[in-house]
mmCIF file with all atom_site columns, all heavy atoms in Angstrom:
data_model
loop_
_atom_site.group_PDB
_atom_site.id
_atom_site.type_symbol
_atom_site.label_atom_id
_atom_site.label_alt_id
_atom_site.label_comp_id
_atom_site.label_asym_id
_atom_site.label_entity_id
_atom_site.label_seq_id
_atom_site.pdbx_PDB_ins_code
_atom_site.Cartn_x
_atom_site.Cartn_y
_atom_site.Cartn_z
_atom_site.occupancy
_atom_site.B_iso_or_equiv
_atom_site.pdbx_formal_charge
_atom_site.auth_seq_id
_atom_site.auth_comp_id
_atom_site.auth_asym_id
_atom_site.auth_atom_id
_atom_site.pdbx_PDB_model_num
ATOM 1  N N   . PRO D 1 219 ? -8.687  12.767  -0.922  1.00 96.00 ? 219 PRO D N   1
ATOM 2  C CA  . PRO D 1 219 ? -7.371  12.744  -1.564  1.00 96.00 ? 219 PRO D CA  1
ATOM 3  C C   . PRO D 1 219 ? -7.411  13.495  -2.899  1.00 96.00 ? 219 PRO D C   1
ATOM 4  O O   . PRO D 1 219 ? -8.405  13.376  -3.649  1.00 96.00 ? 219 PRO D O   1
ATOM 5  C CB  . PRO D 1 219 ? -7.107  11.252  -1.769  1.00 96.00 ? 219 PRO D CB  1
ATOM 6  C CG  . PRO D 1 219 ? -8.435  10.603  -1.677  1.00 96.00 ? 219 PRO D CG  1
ATOM 7  C CD  . PRO D 1 219 ? -9.271  11.433  -0.797  1.00 96.00 ? 219 PRO D CD  1
ATOM 8  N N   . SER D 1 220 ? -6.397  14.247  -3.166  1.00 95.00 ? 220 SER D N   1
ATOM 9  C CA  . SER D 1 220 ? -6.293  14.962  -4.441  1.00 95.00 ? 220 SER D CA  1
ATOM 10 C C   . SER D 1 220 ? -5.374  14.224  -5.405  1.00 95.00 ? 220 SER D C   1
ATOM 11 O O   . SER D 1 220 ? -5.263  14.626  -6.585  1.00 95.00 ? 220 SER D O   1
ATOM 12 C CB  . SER D 1 220 ? -5.769  16.381  -4.206  1.00 95.00 ? 220 SER D CB  1
ATOM 13 O OG  . SER D 1 220 ? -4.495  16.335  -3.535  1.00 95.00 ? 220 SER D OG  1
ATOM 14 N N   . ALA D 1 221 ? -4.719  13.175  -4.946  1.00 97.00 ? 221 ALA D N   1
ATOM 15 C CA  . ALA D 1 221 ? -3.776  12.459  -5.771  1.00 97.00 ? 221 ALA D CA  1
ATOM 16 C C   . ALA D 1 221 ? -3.983  10.953  -5.557  1.00 97.00 ? 221 ALA D C   1
ATOM 17 O O   . ALA D 1 221 ? -4.077  10.510  -4.440  1.00 97.00 ? 221 ALA D O   1
ATOM 18 C CB  . ALA D 1 221 ? -2.333  12.829  -5.455  1.00 97.00 ? 221 ALA D CB  1
ATOM 19 N N   . ARG D 1 222 ? -3.986  10.203  -6.641  1.00 97.00 ? 222 ARG D N   1
ATOM 20 C CA  . ARG D 1 222 ? -4.072  8.755   -6.625  1.00 97.00 ? 222 ARG D CA  1
ATOM 21 C C   . ARG D 1 222 ? -3.129  8.167   -7.648  1.00 97.00 ? 222 ARG D C   1
ATOM 22 O O   . ARG D 1 222 ? -2.965  8.737   -8.744  1.00 97.00 ? 222 ARG D O   1
ATOM 23 C CB  . ARG D 1 222 ? -5.489  8.248   -6.894  1.00 97.00 ? 222 ARG D CB  1
ATOM 24 C CG  . ARG D 1 222 ? -6.484  8.480   -5.753  1.00 97.00 ? 222 ARG D CG  1
ATOM 25 C CD  . ARG D 1 222 ? -7.768  7.726   -6.066  1.00 97.00 ? 222 ARG D CD  1
ATOM 26 N NE  . ARG D 1 222 ? -8.744  7.827   -4.971  1.00 97.00 ? 222 ARG D NE  1
ATOM 27 C CZ  . ARG D 1 222 ? -9.697  8.740   -4.900  1.00 97.00 ? 222 ARG D CZ  1
ATOM 28 N NH1 . ARG D 1 222 ? -9.796  9.692   -5.829  1.00 97.00 ? 222 ARG D NH1 1
ATOM 29 N NH2 . ARG D 1 222 ? -10.533 8.754   -3.880  1.00 97.00 ? 222 ARG D NH2 1
ATOM 30 N N   . ALA D 1 223 ? -2.546  7.039   -7.282  1.00 97.00 ? 223 ALA D N   1
ATOM 31 C CA  . ALA D 1 223 ? -1.720  6.300   -8.246  1.00 97.00 ? 223 ALA D CA  1
ATOM 32 C C   . ALA D 1 223 ? -2.126  4.821   -8.134  1.00 97.00 ? 223 ALA D C   1
ATOM 33 O O   . ALA D 1 223 ? -2.084  4.273   -7.026  1.00 97.00 ? 223 ALA D O   1
ATOM 34 C CB  . ALA D 1 223 ? -0.234  6.447   -7.951  1.00 97.00 ? 223 ALA D CB  1
ATOM 35 N N   . THR D 1 224 ? -2.552  4.230   -9.249  1.00 98.00 ? 224 THR D N   1
ATOM 36 C CA  . THR D 1 224 ? -3.145  2.911   -9.264  1.00 98.00 ? 224 THR D CA  1
ATOM 37 C C   . THR D 1 224 ? -2.433  2.043   -10.271 1.00 98.00 ? 224 THR D C   1
ATOM 38 O O   . THR D 1 224 ? -2.237  2.472   -11.413 1.00 98.00 ? 224 THR D O   1
ATOM 39 C CB  . THR D 1 224 ? -4.647  3.001   -9.568  1.00 98.00 ? 224 THR D CB  1
ATOM 40 O OG1 . THR D 1 224 ? -5.251  3.933   -8.700  1.00 98.00 ? 224 THR D OG1 1
ATOM 41 C CG2 . THR D 1 224 ? -5.308  1.655   -9.436  1.00 98.00 ? 224 THR D CG2 1
ATOM 42 N N   . ALA D 1 225 ? -2.053  0.810   -9.852  1.00 97.00 ? 225 ALA D N   1
ATOM 43 C CA  . ALA D 1 225 ? -1.339  -0.101  -10.746 1.00 97.00 ? 225 ALA D CA  1
ATOM 44 C C   . ALA D 1 225 ? -1.869  -1.496  -10.667 1.00 97.00 ? 225 ALA D C   1
ATOM 45 O O   . ALA D 1 225 ? -2.379  -1.929  -9.612  1.00 97.00 ? 225 ALA D O   1
ATOM 46 C CB  . ALA D 1 225 ? 0.160   -0.041  -10.400 1.00 97.00 ? 225 ALA D CB  1
ATOM 47 N N   . TRP D 1 226 ? -1.784  -2.186  -11.787 1.00 97.00 ? 226 TRP D N   1
ATOM 48 C CA  . TRP D 1 226 ? -2.076  -3.623  -11.865 1.00 97.00 ? 226 TRP D CA  1
ATOM 49 C C   . TRP D 1 226 ? -0.732  -4.322  -12.161 1.00 97.00 ? 226 TRP D C   1
ATOM 50 O O   . TRP D 1 226 ? -0.130  -4.082  -13.191 1.00 97.00 ? 226 TRP D O   1
ATOM 51 C CB  . TRP D 1 226 ? -3.092  -3.853  -12.992 1.00 97.00 ? 226 TRP D CB  1
ATOM 52 C CG  . TRP D 1 226 ? -3.521  -5.271  -13.207 1.00 97.00 ? 226 TRP D CG  1
ATOM 53 C CD1 . TRP D 1 226 ? -2.846  -6.254  -13.880 1.00 97.00 ? 226 TRP D CD1 1
ATOM 54 C CD2 . TRP D 1 226 ? -4.745  -5.861  -12.755 1.00 97.00 ? 226 TRP D CD2 1
ATOM 55 N NE1 . TRP D 1 226 ? -3.582  -7.419  -13.877 1.00 97.00 ? 226 TRP D NE1 1
ATOM 56 C CE2 . TRP D 1 226 ? -4.750  -7.190  -13.223 1.00 97.00 ? 226 TRP D CE2 1
ATOM 57 C CE3 . TRP D 1 226 ? -5.849  -5.380  -12.046 1.00 97.00 ? 226 TRP D CE3 1
ATOM 58 C CZ2 . TRP D 1 226 ? -5.841  -8.073  -12.955 1.00 97.00 ? 226 TRP D CZ2 1
ATOM 59 C CZ3 . TRP D 1 226 ? -6.909  -6.235  -11.793 1.00 97.00 ? 226 TRP D CZ3 1
ATOM 60 C CH2 . TRP D 1 226 ? -6.918  -7.571  -12.233 1.00 97.00 ? 226 TRP D CH2 1
ATOM 61 N N   . LEU D 1 227 ? -0.301  -5.118  -11.217 1.00 97.00 ? 227 LEU D N   1
ATOM 62 C CA  . LEU D 1 227 ? 1.031   -5.758  -11.335 1.00 97.00 ? 227 LEU D CA  1
ATOM 63 C C   . LEU D 1 227 ? 0.857   -7.262  -11.418 1.00 97.00 ? 227 LEU D C   1
ATOM 64 O O   . LEU D 1 227 ? -0.049  -7.863  -10.837 1.00 97.00 ? 227 LEU D O   1
ATOM 65 C CB  . LEU D 1 227 ? 1.883   -5.411  -10.117 1.00 97.00 ? 227 LEU D CB  1
ATOM 66 C CG  . LEU D 1 227 ? 2.012   -3.954  -9.717  1.00 97.00 ? 227 LEU D CG  1
ATOM 67 C CD1 . LEU D 1 227 ? 2.954   -3.838  -8.529  1.00 97.00 ? 227 LEU D CD1 1
ATOM 68 C CD2 . LEU D 1 227 ? 2.506   -3.131  -10.932 1.00 97.00 ? 227 LEU D CD2 1
ATOM 69 N N   . GLY D 1 228 ? 1.769   -7.893  -12.103 1.00 97.00 ? 228 GLY D N   1
ATOM 70 C CA  . GLY D 1 228 ? 1.835   -9.343  -12.153 1.00 97.00 ? 228 GLY D CA  1
ATOM 71 C C   . GLY D 1 228 ? 3.042   -9.858  -11.385 1.00 97.00 ? 228 GLY D C   1
ATOM 72 O O   . GLY D 1 228 ? 4.167   -9.317  -11.529 1.00 97.00 ? 228 GLY D O   1
ATOM 73 N N   . VAL D 1 229 ? 2.825   -10.869 -10.512 1.00 96.00 ? 229 VAL D N   1
ATOM 74 C CA  . VAL D 1 229 ? 3.929   -11.439 -9.731  1.00 96.00 ? 229 VAL D CA  1
ATOM 75 C C   . VAL D 1 229 ? 3.900   -12.963 -9.906  1.00 96.00 ? 229 VAL D C   1
ATOM 76 O O   . VAL D 1 229 ? 2.896   -13.551 -10.304 1.00 96.00 ? 229 VAL D O   1
ATOM 77 C CB  . VAL D 1 229 ? 3.855   -11.047 -8.246  1.00 96.00 ? 229 VAL D CB  1
ATOM 78 C CG1 . VAL D 1 229 ? 4.012   -9.542  -8.071  1.00 96.00 ? 229 VAL D CG1 1
ATOM 79 C CG2 . VAL D 1 229 ? 2.487   -11.492 -7.651  1.00 96.00 ? 229 VAL D CG2 1
ATOM 80 N N   . ALA D 1 230 ? 5.015   -13.571 -9.557  1.00 95.00 ? 230 ALA D N   1
ATOM 81 C CA  . ALA D 1 230 ? 5.197   -14.995 -9.802  1.00 95.00 ? 230 ALA D CA  1
ATOM 82 C C   . ALA D 1 230 ? 4.391   -15.861 -8.813  1.00 95.00 ? 230 ALA D C   1
ATOM 83 O O   . ALA D 1 230 ? 3.899   -16.934 -9.171  1.00 95.00 ? 230 ALA D O   1
ATOM 84 C CB  . ALA D 1 230 ? 6.654   -15.352 -9.737  1.00 95.00 ? 230 ALA D CB  1
#
Side-chain angles (χ1 to χ4, degrees):
S220 56
R222 287 189 175 93
T224 307
W226 182 279
L227 309 182
V229 295

